[in-house]
């Protein structure tokens, strides 16, 4: 199959009618109209097999996840997604792979009315790089550097499912051991969380003008809260017992292994944010409509770094710093 046929498969499945796309796939570059009164928010994330998804992942899930991880970054900025470009490197012109990939990508794109407006298709080892574009009202983007001493620290959804899902994939010995006696239904739920994360777009939009700082939890809770602490020049204290866990996570992971996965495992794609204490309850009320649970897990303190406290108030030893490339 030729390069242009592959591009046509992507175009035909991932095109969305949007009035702000003056010129989409097919010319040398796309021409796009940013609405008046808005700023453009742009991010890029690349997926590499065996690093960002298990080697035997379904192409449809790769397509979904390639977009989802980028939409999660837009959500963390409070942005509304609009467009994306896709740089796809493929070992061979495998039509079935591209059709499945496009199907997964298009499924998530349609949920957010996002248009694929361009990209590049090359041959080489499988690599998927997406750039996503979204809007925020001018000045309203959520950032990492606004947390204040005394703010509440809050997370969306549950923490640890992505890391447990990776253990389910069975491509790492230690992970397989952790989930050795996990029930089949719990495994499937956790694996689905790894393969098809749900970017928290509606929550990010609701946090505009309310959250003092925000980040998405992609590399591990402690590592990502550490970025907020550093950028804001504060410390963060987390109560381990408050970190929300899903019922699948509790069913699958032995009690003595849970906290390490929740603190340092990656791939959650939840939001972690800070909010002034006296605005927290009103914000929780406003978020109820999204249907996504939010949980207060700690507070912003004087100092630096992230401290995790166990139920009797003593500091927990955090195993390692979360996911980092080139270590
Ligand atoms: P050029 O040679 O001008 O770089 P290409 O042949 O690479 O153009 O691409 C032709 C058109 O198809 C362009 O509009 C480009 O944005 C689009 N395109 C190429 N690859 C992809 C892809 N993987 N996803 C979406 N659009 C793509
Ligand atoms: Mg090109």
């Amino acid at each position: 199959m030729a390069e242009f046929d592959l591009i046509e498969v992507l175009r035909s499945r991932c095109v969305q009618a949007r009035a702000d796309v003056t010129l989409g796939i097919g010319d040398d570059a796309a021409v796009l109209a940013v609405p008046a009164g808005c700023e453009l928010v742009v991010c890029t994330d690349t997926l590499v097999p065996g690093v960002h998804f298990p080697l035997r992942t379904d192409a449809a899930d790769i397509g979904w996840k390639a977009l989802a991880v980028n939409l999660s970054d837009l959500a963390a900025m409070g942005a509304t997604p609009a467009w994306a470009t896709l740089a796809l490197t493929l070992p061979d012109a495998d039509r079935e792979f591209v059709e499945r990939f496009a199907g997964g990508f298009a499924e998530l794109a349609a949920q957010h009315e996002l248009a694929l407006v361009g990209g590049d298709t090359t041959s080489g080892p499988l690599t998927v790089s997406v750039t996503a574009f979204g809007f925020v009202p001018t000045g309203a983007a959520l950032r990492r550097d606004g947390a204040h001493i005394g703010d509440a620290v809050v997370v969306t959804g549950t923490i640890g499912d992505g890391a447990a899902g990776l253990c389910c994939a069975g491509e790492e010995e230690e992970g397989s051991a952790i989930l050795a006696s996990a029930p089949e239904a719990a495994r499937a739920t956790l694996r689905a969380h790894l393969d098809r994360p749900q970017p928290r777009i509606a929550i990010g939009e609701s946090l505009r003008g309310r959250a003092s700082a925000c980040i998405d939890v992609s590399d591990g809770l402690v590592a990502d809260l550490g970025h907020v602490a550093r950028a804001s020049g504060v410390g963060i204290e987390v109560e381990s017992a408050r970190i929300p866990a899903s019922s699948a996570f509790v069913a699958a992971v032995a009690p003595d292994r849970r906290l390490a996965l929740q603190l340092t495992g990656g791939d959650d794609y939840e939001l972690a944010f800070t909010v002034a204490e006296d605005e927290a309850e009103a914000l929780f009320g406003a978020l109820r409509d999204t249907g996504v649970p939010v949980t207060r897990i700690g507070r912003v303190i004087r100092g630096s770094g992230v401290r995790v406290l166990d139920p009797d108030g003593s500091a927990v030893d955090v195993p390692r710093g979360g996911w980092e490339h080139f270590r």
Side-chain angles (χ1 to χ4, degrees):
M1 198 183 194
E3 177 188 335
F4 291 104
D5 299 323
L6 294 178
I7 296 171
E8 182 48 30
V9 170
L10 289 162
R11 193 199 61 76
S12 64
R13 296 194 179 214
C14 303
V15 83
Q16 283 271 335
R18 285 186 63 109
D20 53 16
V21 179
T22 310
L23 194 56
I25 293 172
D27 213 307
D28 291 308
V31 180
L32 307 164
V34 179
C38 284
E39 288 175 306
L40 189 59
V41 181
V42 183
C43 61
T44 300
D45 254 329
T46 299
L47 301 191
V48 173
V51 180
H52 301 98
F53 56 85
L55 296 174
R56 288 182 296 272
T57 301
D58 186 321
D61 293 336
I62 299 171
W64 173 289
K65 188 167 185 178
L67 181 57
V69 299
N70 280 281
L71 296 192
S72 180
D73 283 326
L74 291 186
M77 302 303 292
T80 303
W83 315 306
T85 59
L86 166 67
L88 192 55
T89 303
L90 296 167
D92 45 65
D94 179 345
R95 185 188 181 106
E96 204 202 312
F97 179 94
V98 174
E99 280 180 346
R100 293 192 65 75
F101 176 94
F105 186 101
E107 200 180 328
L108 181 59
Q111 288 181 13
H112 298 281
E113 291 166 26
L114 171 139
L116 182 66
V117 296
D120 200 19
T121 306
T122 51
S123 102
L126 179 62
T127 311
V128 185
S129 188
V130 170
T131 299
F133 303 79
F135 311 136
V136 287
T138 299
L142 304 172
R143 304 162 50 133
R144 299 177 177 187
D145 60 3
H148 297 290
I149 293 161
D151 287 355
V153 176
V154 182
V155 292
T156 62
T158 54
I159 300 295
D161 303 75
L166 186 59
C167 296
C168 295
E171 289 183 358
E172 285 168 23
E173 243 171 71
E174 197 194 335
S176 306
I178 290 176
L179 291 208
S181 52
E184 202 43 56
R187 279 175 182 275
T189 303
L190 294 168
R191 184 62 203 262
H193 194 100
L194 178 73
D195 291 336
R196 295 211 167 205
Q198 287 291 342
R200 300 304 189 191
I201 295 295
I203 300 245
E205 291 169 334
S206 304
L207 293 179
R208 289 175 193 157
R210 290 174 155 143
S212 51
C214 187
I215 192 167
D216 72 320
V217 182
S218 54
D219 296 336
L221 182 64
V222 169
D224 289 318
L225 287 177
H227 296 316
V228 172
R230 201 170 312 115
S232 300
V234 296
I236 287 179
E237 192 173 78
V238 172
E239 291 175 54
S240 64
R242 289 179 179 262
I243 302 171
S246 70
S247 52
F249 182 86
V250 171
V253 184
D256 62 327
R257 309 305 287 264
R258 287 177 196 156
L259 189 58
L261 282 187
Q262 289 192 299
L263 294 178
T264 64
D267 271 316
D268 284 311
Y269 302 104
E270 297 294 348
L271 297 183
F273 59 91
T274 57
V275 56
E277 193 54 57
D278 55 359
E279 292 170 31
E281 285 314 315
L283 176 57
F284 293 167
L287 294 179
R288 221 156 274 145
D289 282 350
T290 65
V292 178
V294 294
T295 309
R296 179 198 297 253
I297 60 166
R299 62 195 183 105
V300 179
I301 58 174
R302 209 172 290 281
S304 63
V306 179
R307 243 181 4 148
V308 182
L309 302 179
D310 71 14
D312 36 84
S314 43
V316 172
D317 231 355
V318 178
R320 58 183 171 83
W323 178 258
E324 240 182 82
H325 295 270
F326 307 115
R327 271 200 312 187

